[in-house]
Amino acid sequence: ALGALVRIAATLGVDASAEGGDDGAAACAAAAAGVGAEHLDRALARLEDEDWGVRRVALSAVGELAPRGERRVLEALVPHLSDDDEDVRTAAVAAIGKVATPGDAEWSDRAAKLLDDDDEAVRQAAVRAVARLALPTDRQAISRILRVAREDEDDDVRRAAAGALHQ
């Protein structure tokens, strides 16, 4: 979270490194809190850009800036789960993992659909999103991640799934 605040603060011209430690974190937090909604709206507006790189960065920003459970933000992410570009799909599913509320089966199911994506980075991000949204008693999410840990063709994806099971 601190890393995200430093990146956000840098875009606002706040030098969090000058003070360091808790003072730097406080400067970041104060700057981000005052303008979070404005920057979130700007990032949401860029989700429709024709440049995949702009969409990817905007999705990452949305994931960092949006409050948990923000329905309008989650709905704005849905079209990007099926984007032609794998980096955009990766950023979209990662943002869902950060914005959706843990235990929300609808959003966990949407993220889980990408566990079978053709791209291994998308599958890794989907594993992390499903794990973030799972409650400790969520047998379906655990079963999904366990399947990936056992069966995915990519070693890195299997390791990500195994790691998610141990958290």
Side-chain angles (χ1 to χ4, degrees), residues 80-136:
H80 304 287
L81 294 173
S82 58
D83 196 278
D84 290 337
D85 186 85
E86 64 274 1
D87 291 336
V88 172
R89 293 193 310 276
T90 299
V93 75
I96 283 177
K98 293 176 180 179
V99 178
T101 304
D104 188 328
E106 174 188 357
W107 294 101
S108 181
D109 289 347
R110 288 182 190 244
K113 289 179 182 175
L114 277 84
L115 292 172
D116 296 315
D117 194 271
D118 291 338
D119 185 80
E120 60 276 354
V122 175
R123 295 194 307 273
Q124 284 183 45
V127 162
R128 287 189 294 274
V130 170
R132 270 185 189 207
L133 298 177
L135 297 176

Side-chain angles (χ1 to χ4, degrees), residues 4-5 9 16 22 33 35 44 51 56 62 68 82 97 99 101-102 107 117-118 129 134 137 139 158 165:
L5 288 174
D22 291 337
V35 297
L44 286 168
D51 184 325
R56 180 186 55 80
V62 167
R68 280 248 185 226
S82 58
V99 178
T101 304
W107 294 101
D117 194 271
D118 291 338
T137 57
R139 291 177 182 249
R158 287 194 309 272
L165 289 169

Side-chain angles (χ1 to χ4, degrees), residues 51-71:
D51 184 325
W52 68 268
V54 172
R55 292 192 309 275
R56 180 186 55 80
V57 170
L59 286 160
S60 295
V62 167
E64 296 295 333
L65 295 169
R68 280 248 185 226
E70 183 73 32
R71 187 96 185 151

Side-chain angles (χ1 to χ4, degrees), residues 6 14-15 17 33 36 40 45 47 56 67 79 85 90 96 98 108-109 112 131 135-136 150 155 157 160:
V6 170
V14 175
D15 183 7
S17 65
L40 176 58
L47 292 180
R56 180 186 55 80
D85 186 85
T90 299
I96 283 177
K98 293 176 180 179
S108 181
D109 289 347
L135 297 176
R150 289 182 178 159
D155 290 341
V157 176

